Amino acid sequence: MSTKTAASNPTSGSTTNERTTNSADARYACDDEQLQVLRQKSPWKEDPLYFKSVDVSPTAIMKMMTHCHSGVEKGIKNGGKPIEVMGLLLGRPDPTTPHTLVVTDAFPLPIEGFETRVIADDADVTNYMISLGESLEKTRKEKFMGW
């Protein structure tokens, strides 16, 4: 999330350390308490069609597009068709907009696929996903929510 620090107040001349959120980034900010309450209620467990919309952050979109482009380039470089790529989506339900998932980030996986098969049971890939998940649990409030 982008934040900017206000250096001074032009009307009073005082210096502050207040952090303000850019309005474009406000969509991806979240109140921790509201998120915890929503996760405890978990209405999506009762209704498999609970979520009706998804908001994807610009960061996640760029990471997905870059990863897809690398699959195209790698496949063509090897004289064939683009290879299929896979990654994990990080996000959360939105407590302020019911029925909406918010994708905040994306992480490419070191997996290649071809049309009908993707081999995702490689020990290196599994260990990578586990270590990524453990490190993100310590630093982020979002969880893996798709791939």
Side-chain angles (χ1 to χ4, degrees):
M1 176 177 68
S2 287
T3 58
K4 59 182 177 180
T5 303
S8 65
N9 183 337
T11 57
S12 67
S14 65
T15 302
T16 65
N17 287 328
E18 294 177 20
R19 293 177 64 111
T20 58
T21 302
N22 181 325
S23 62
D25 294 333
R27 179 74 188 111
Y28 306 102
C30 179
D31 181 290
D32 288 340
E33 290 179 21
Q34 287 180 334
L35 182 58
Q36 286 297 75
V37 168
L38 181 59
R39 284 184 173 153
Q40 286 174 353
K41 289 180 181 178
S42 300
W44 48 88
K45 289 182 179 179
E46 302 298 320
D47 179 7
L49 302 175
Y50 176 80
F51 294 108
K52 308 291 185 210
S53 64
V54 176
D55 285 345
V56 183
S57 75
T59 299
I61 290 171
M62 288 304 297
K63 288 173 121 179
M64 286 186 270
M65 295 301 294
T66 300
H67 188 46
C68 290
H69 183 72
S70 71
V72 170
E73 292 294 316
K74 187 172 184 178
I76 291 173
K77 180 181 174 184
N78 292 333
K81 296 180 180 179
I83 61 169
E84 293 184 27
V85 296
M86 189 184 311
L88 296 171
L89 301 176
L90 191 73
R92 59 174 171 72
D94 186 8
T96 58
T97 310
H99 308 287
T100 301
L101 282 173
V102 179
V103 177
T104 56
D105 212 340
F107 299 90
L109 292 176
I111 299 172
E112 294 180 4
F114 300 93
E115 294 183 16
T116 59
R117 73 189 126 102
V118 174
I119 300 170
D121 61 353
D122 181 78
D124 290 337
V125 173
T126 303
N127 290 334
Y128 173 79
M129 288 190 290
I130 290 169
S131 65
L132 179 61
E134 288 173 349
S135 68
L136 289 172
E137 275 181 15
K138 296 174 186 173
T139 60
R140 306 280 291 265
K141 59 187 167 194
E142 303 96 345
K143 298 184 182 301
F144 287 132
M145 53 181 274
W147 59 288

